[in-house]
Amino acid sequence: MKKFFFLLSGLFYLHSSLAQTPDTTLSSDKNIRNKVLSDIQDNLERKTKNIDESLNNLDHKVDSLDREIAASRDARDKADKLLQRVQALEKKQQAIEENELYVYQANYQSAIINLVSMDKEIKPLVLFNASKSFFSTLNETANPMNYPGYSDWYKKFFEYIQKEKEHEASLAVLSDMVQVTGNITAATPVAGPVSQALFLGINSYINSLGSKKKELRDQSQKMFLLTAKLSQFNYDKDLVEQQWEIVTKELEKLQIHYDTILNQNLALLRVPKPAYGAQFNHETDAEKRYQFLTQLRKDASSLVTDRKTADTKNWKQPIYYELMDVQSLKIRFGDLTFDIRGILSKYNELIFKYRNDPEIGLKVQALEVKLNALNDTFDAAFDPNDYINSATRMYLVN
């Protein structure tokens, strides 16, 4: 589980679309990204406003020429106005194409800024420490050695195993397991086949205690009940952790996919990976990180222009693919955050099931405190709905 949140902490937080109102104080990486996205939006709005005004003027001019052409009786005058109409329509088409270029530039800039900001958006140490504390307490809760009296009782039980293993097959098997693990209850979860051997051993031990050892017999029965409760707790816990393993593998795949897309786009923009790391990922000055992203968005804009100049027919297709790659990352990670939220809810259900149990309830209640802290940390860093919604709205549709 530590591995899972280490991976999670190394991933990215994609949050907000171009339309989000930014905090311009540059007080955090999120604010830096939002400021640059706002710059992109403002620049596009200025350009599209001018284009809209030009298109509006050209439409009025074409309408006026149409009326004049219809009213004219002079062939030369009509021909001159027809030429003016064709020129106006050509200018209108140029303006439409220019606006299309501006939209693609803004969309690709947005994609690049979101992409390079992914690694910077969450506070890895905070999230990792919260998860580390929870899973450490979870393991402690599942280990019977952490419960009062169990360790002392287990020493007596262990002595019995070693003494009687030559006479009872189940104890011989249990002894072999102890030799492998060192301490069966500490090193191996009390669940599955191990628990069956352990239960048979404890049962044999209780049956061996005569009436003169009533106190030890009562204690053994209590430890037997505790062991059984923890066995069921471990079984339920393992069902949840199987889902963690699936998410962990998906995160590993997503991280590889992210690195591929990042390296691909940095190469397109001719930004060396070491420079990216030094000037952005490892840069501590917020203003310098903002300047780096500002230059990066300008480079992205220039790339779109160069693509159009080099291939006026097919320039949009490769850029479209880059846009879809980044958007798919946001959607995939958004889906994973939904899965993570669902798994955390399963842990809530696990705690609710055992929190009032007379044998393990107090430990489970202590675990609940750690889970609440992890939930709060996760909620502060991730919003699955926001990931999905921002992914679907991150580009302007031309």
Side-chain angles (χ1 to χ4, degrees):
M1 294 310 100
K2 295 178 185 177
K3 178 184 177 185
F4 169 79
F5 269 93
F6 180 77
L7 288 168
L8 183 61
S9 65
L11 280 172
F12 39 81
Y13 181 46
L14 308 173
H15 180 274
S16 89
S17 63
L18 282 170
Q20 182 170 353
T21 302
D23 177 353
T24 59
T25 61
L26 305 185
S27 60
S28 69
D29 292 314
K30 180 178 175 181
N31 290 349
I32 294 171
R33 185 208 55 204
N34 287 344
K35 174 70 167 63
V36 179
L37 290 176
S38 179
D39 294 342
I40 295 170
Q41 179 71 17
D42 292 343
N43 182 58
L44 178 63
E45 286 178 352
R46 286 194 298 270
K47 290 180 177 180
T48 54
K49 182 179 180 181
N50 292 334
I51 293 291
D52 288 343
E53 290 176 355
S54 296
L55 289 174
N56 188 52
N57 291 335
L58 288 169
D59 284 337
H60 283 304
K61 184 173 184 178
V62 169
D63 291 342
S64 177
L65 286 170
D66 285 342
R67 289 192 296 272
E68 292 177 13
I69 290 170
S72 177
R73 295 293 181 265
D74 184 274
R76 179 174 294 181
D77 178 65
K78 183 174 288 192
D80 181 61
K81 286 182 169 55
L82 283 170
L83 177 60
Q84 292 181 46
R85 187 180 188 277
V86 170
Q87 291 173 339
L89 291 175
E90 288 176 347
K91 288 181 179 179
K92 181 178 179 180
Q93 182 60 34
Q94 289 174 359
I96 292 173
E97 292 177 0
E98 189 174 12
N99 186 65
E100 183 180 53
L101 174 64
Y102 293 155
V103 170
Y104 266 82
Q105 286 175 331
N107 284 342
Y108 186 54
Q109 289 178 79
S110 173
I112 290 299
I113 298 307
N114 272 288
L115 182 65
V116 301
S117 299
M118 289 175 182
D119 280 336
K120 301 283 292 182
E121 289 299 330
I122 61 175
K123 294 180 174 62
L125 188 60
V126 173
L127 188 59
F128 178 66
N129 283 344
S131 63
K132 182 179 179 181
S133 178
F134 169 70
F135 286 113
S136 175
T137 305
L138 180 63
N139 291 332
E140 291 173 1
T141 303
N143 183 3
M145 288 296 182
N146 293 318
Y147 290 78
Y150 200 94
S151 179
D152 291 338
W153 170 83
Y154 182 79
K155 291 177 183 178
K156 300 171 186 175
F157 173 51
F158 180 78
E159 291 173 358
Y160 171 77
I161 294 174
Q162 299 308 308
K163 180 181 177 182
E164 300 294 332
K165 64 182 180 180
E166 300 297 332
H167 307 101
E168 194 169 335
S170 62
L171 295 179
V173 172
L174 186 56
S175 179
D176 288 342
M177 290 182 175
V178 171
Q179 296 300 323
V180 171
T181 62
N183 184 331
I184 194 169
T185 55
T188 306
V190 186
V194 173
S195 65
Q196 298 303 313
L198 187 59
F199 293 162
L200 287 173
I202 296 175
N203 184 67
S204 176
Y205 179 50
I206 293 173
N207 290 335
S208 72
L209 298 173
S211 58
K212 293 182 180 181
K213 297 182 179 180
K214 185 178 184 304
E215 183 177 345
L216 180 56
R217 186 183 182 90
D218 290 344
Q219 181 190 28
S220 298
Q221 289 176 341
K222 290 180 181 178
M223 296 303 105
F224 196 178
L225 180 58
L226 173 61
T227 306
K229 290 284 182 70
L230 289 176
S231 176
Q232 184 62 43
F233 178 82
N234 270 289
Y235 175 80
D236 293 339
K237 176 175 71 70
D238 288 347
L239 291 178
V240 182
E241 292 187 346
Q242 288 173 11
Q243 299 177 50
W244 275 130
E245 294 301 322
I246 295 173
V247 172
T248 297
K249 291 178 181 178
E250 287 301 311
L251 281 173
E252 289 174 336
K253 293 178 183 177
L254 190 61
Q255 180 71 64
I256 294 171
H257 185 46
Y258 167 72
D259 290 338
T260 300
I261 292 175
L262 175 64
N263 292 334
Q264 174 181 306
N265 281 275
L266 290 177
L268 287 174
L269 298 172
R270 298 180 180 179
V271 178
K273 193 68 178 291
Y276 160 74
Q279 298 176 41
F280 181 66
N281 251 0
H282 306 302
E283 176 58 63
T284 58
D285 188 299
E287 182 61 36
K288 289 183 179 179
R289 291 203 300 277
Y290 170 72
Q291 291 173 3
F292 175 82
L293 291 184
T294 298
Q295 182 58 50
L296 201 62
R297 78 175 182 84
K298 292 178 180 179
D299 293 340
S301 179
S302 297
L303 176 66
V304 175
T305 302
D306 293 343
R307 284 276 181 85
K308 183 178 181 181
T309 302
D311 189 351
T312 56
K313 183 178 180 181
N314 301 309
W315 66 277
K316 290 181 286 187
Q317 184 172 340
I319 296 171
Y320 172 81
Y321 290 147
E322 301 298 340
L323 299 181
M324 293 303 99
D325 281 342
V326 177
Q327 189 175 56
S328 71
L329 281 172
K330 294 187 72 165
I331 292 174
R332 282 182 63 189
F333 193 73
D335 289 339
L336 282 176
T337 57
F338 272 115
D339 292 340
I340 295 165
R341 167 50 55 209
I343 294 171
L344 291 177
S345 297
K346 292 292 184 182
Y347 276 117
N348 281 321
E349 294 173 8
L350 177 69
I351 288 173
F352 181 79
K353 179 177 179 179
Y354 291 98
R355 68 184 314 278
N356 294 321
D357 186 273
E359 278 70 41
I360 67 174
L362 291 178
K363 289 281 187 183
V364 172
Q365 289 171 29
L367 177 63
E368 184 176 20
V369 174
K370 300 294 179 67
L371 180 61
N372 288 339
L374 177 56
N375 278 322
D376 291 342
T377 304
F378 183 86
D379 290 342
F382 301 97
D383 184 344
N385 285 309
D386 188 54
Y387 275 81
I388 300 298
N389 291 338
S390 64
T392 58
R393 300 193 309 267
M394 71 178 294
Y395 301 133
L396 294 177
V397 179
N398 191 308

